[in-house]
Amino acid sequence: MLQSRLLLRQASRPCQCLHTTLLGRCYATAAKQRSRKPIKPQDPIKASIAAPGTDVPVAPSIYDSRLGIRSYKPRTPGLRHLRRPINDHLWKGRPHHPLTFARKGQHIGGRNRTGRIMVRHRGGGAKRRIRIVDFERTEPGRRRVERIERDPGRSAHIALLSAFNEQEDRTDYSYMVAAEGMRAGDVVQSYRKGIPADLLASMGGVMDPGMIAAKTAWRGNCLPLYMIPVGTTIYNVALKAGKGGQLCRSAGTYATIVGKSEEPLKGKKSTDLHVKLSSGEVRKIPRDACATIGVASNVNYQYRQLGKAGRSRLLGIRPTVRGVAMNAADHPHGGGRGKSKGNVHPVSPWSTPAKGGYKTRTKSKSNAHVVVPRVRNQGKRRRVNK
């Protein structure tokens, strides 16, 4: 168990020798912790706008002084380069067992049902259970966040929600992808089936978009896209109406609603919204599709360092061997004397060009839902048009 370092120093004067003899030598590991400022209580509108100074955090810069990364005293070589995000609020116990199932089968090693390897560098790893996460969130009503847990199957954290079922006199539990800043005791709600009657009555029966956003656009709430104001940061975004979230589910990812068009287009009312993804791509998504307010949790996940190869093996990642280190029968770059790939262009083991991009999509198969495509580097330095 890794613990924080105890700052103990031997006394320089003889009268303080009793202090050192009683305590003895300390073997606890070290930890350099850069504490982050506590997250203020969220406001209904401020928690939904991704602008400087708001309460919804985005992925910070690696030079940010508030970056919460923990390092350890190098007692062993595997701890010297270990870097982990500080997530002391996570649940220390086991998951809710009814919402899990065992991860078994030959697909763990990257194989299909016939036993052929479809994905290389997969296999082994520690035993784990798959968490059943509710990406659709169709059930209405208020739900309480019981705890925030770590999910070994994804980079973001998950939240265990509870709601009392009066008809069957029991408590229902479900998992959702946690938002950054969400803690135990928070209350979240889903508005996919419409606005509740009590909320509509509190507004005097008037459907004011601004008032609805002020009462519903809170961190962790699930809403249809047409109910979310422009400029709001969202995650777990669905691509179709009635489906679960598919975009922005990894740690620290988010999207932004950049435009709504209610004007008729060619005699038809527009049913799409423009959403900007983290990659810079702008897509058209149906207005009835759902999304969750906020940013996916564990934003510092990208700054972690495993520290040794054994932790990659525990994650089920096997080693990657270079082609020039293989024999000529195993790879096009193999064989020869020394580090030589035979004066050929870089290719994959199946002779597909490996650098500069190998385009397989023709112009007639372009994605009609993409408004602004993301910037593609394709292995070359990006050129800025001045």
Side-chain angles (χ1 to χ4, degrees):
M1 187 68 181
L2 300 180
Q3 302 175 356
S4 303
R5 176 173 53 182
L6 300 178
L7 300 177
L8 299 178
R9 297 180 179 178
Q10 291 186 351
S12 58
R13 292 180 294 180
C15 60
Q16 296 181 352
C17 62
L18 180 62
H19 173 75
T20 58
T21 56
L22 291 178
L23 293 180
R25 185 176 180 181
C26 177
Y27 288 93
T29 53
K32 293 191 300 181
Q33 301 183 9
R34 297 181 179 180
S35 59
R36 299 178 59 182
K37 295 182 179 179
I39 299 177
K40 300 178 181 179
Q42 58 178 350
D43 295 332
I45 294 298
K46 288 184 178 180
S48 62
I49 306 299
T54 58
D55 293 330
V56 175
V58 297
S61 172
I62 195 170
Y63 303 103
D64 193 349
S65 60
R66 299 178 302 169
L67 190 62
I69 299 297
R70 176 174 290 150
S71 59
Y72 300 90
K73 180 179 179 180
R75 287 181 52 211
T76 61
L79 291 178
R80 181 174 298 276
H81 300 289
L82 178 62
R83 303 290 185 271
R84 286 175 176 171
I86 300 176
N87 294 313
D88 297 333
H89 63 282
L90 295 181
W91 173 251
K92 303 299 189 299
R94 294 179 178 271
H96 188 59
H97 194 272
L99 293 178
T100 62
F101 63 93
R103 180 174 179 261
K104 297 181 179 180
Q106 63 182 9
H107 66 280
I108 298 176
R111 291 166 171 80
N112 61 1
R113 62 180 183 180
T114 62
R116 294 179 178 270
I117 296 179
M118 295 289 102
V119 182
R120 299 190 301 163
H121 316 138
R122 297 282 183 91
K127 288 178 61 177
R128 63 177 67 172
R129 297 185 67 86
I130 303 297
R131 275 67 167 174
I132 303 175
V133 181
D134 184 14
F135 297 109
E136 299 182 358
R137 299 183 64 184
T138 56
E139 294 297 328
R142 298 165 60 88
R143 293 181 177 270
R144 184 177 182 274
V145 179
E146 296 293 335
R147 62 202 186 204
I148 307 297
E149 299 182 8
R150 173 186 172 271
D151 188 356
R154 66 188 71 252
S155 58
H157 300 151
I158 57 178
L160 181 65
L161 309 180
S162 65
F164 183 73
N165 192 341
E166 298 180 356
Q167 298 179 355
E168 301 182 6
D169 192 17
R170 60 183 175 86
T171 302
D172 296 333
Y173 293 94
S174 62
Y175 278 126
M176 66 165 286
V177 180
E180 181 66 17
M182 182 181 292
R183 295 295 183 268
D186 294 351
V187 178
V188 296
Q189 194 167 354
S190 176
Y191 297 94
R192 293 197 65 176
K193 292 188 176 180
I195 302 176
D198 56 348
L199 179 59
L200 188 60
S202 64
M203 296 186 297
V206 180
M207 299 287 290
D208 185 9
M211 185 64 67
I212 292 175
K215 293 181 177 294
T216 59
W218 289 67
R219 178 194 292 120
N221 287 353
C222 182
L223 291 85
L225 289 179
Y226 68 88
M227 292 179 57
I228 304 176
V230 177
T232 305
T233 55
I234 56 178
Y235 72 101
N236 192 28
V237 185
L239 292 176
K240 295 181 181 179
K243 298 292 184 179
Q246 295 178 263
L247 303 178
C248 302
R249 302 193 318 198
S250 300
T253 57
Y254 63 93
T256 308
I257 299 179
V258 296
K260 296 184 179 181
S261 179
E262 300 293 341
E263 300 179 357
L265 181 62
K266 296 182 180 180
K268 298 181 180 180
K269 187 176 181 180
S270 177
T271 60
D272 295 333
L273 302 179
H274 289 180
V275 176
K276 184 177 181 180
L277 306 180
S278 301
S279 62
E281 178 178 295
V282 179
R283 291 181 64 97
K284 293 190 297 183
I285 299 179
R287 63 191 304 270
D288 294 328
C290 68
T292 306
I293 305 297
V295 181
S297 55
N298 199 13
V299 295
N300 294 327
Y301 176 82
Q302 59 177 327
Y303 303 127
R304 70 165 188 164
Q305 295 181 15
L306 297 181
K308 64 178 184 179
R311 295 191 179 95
S312 293
R313 300 305 299 264
L314 291 176
L315 294 176
I317 304 173
R318 301 188 69 246
T320 302
V321 182
R322 297 169 295 117
V324 294
M326 299 182 185
N327 295 325
D330 300 326
H331 199 280
H333 296 170
R337 296 184 179 181
K339 298 180 180 180
S340 174
K341 62 178 184 294
N343 196 21
V344 296
H345 292 287
V347 293
S348 69
W350 305 276
S351 300
T352 303
K355 288 194 175 181
Y358 184 67
K359 299 180 180 179
T360 58
R361 185 187 296 270
T362 60
K363 293 184 178 180
S364 60
K365 295 182 180 180
S366 59
N367 194 342
H369 299 283
V370 176
V371 179
V372 179
R374 66 181 185 273
V375 178
R376 298 179 184 271
N377 193 6
Q378 294 186 349
K380 297 181 180 179
R381 186 173 298 175
R382 297 176 182 175
R383 298 178 181 178
V384 180
N385 297 326
K386 297 182 180 180

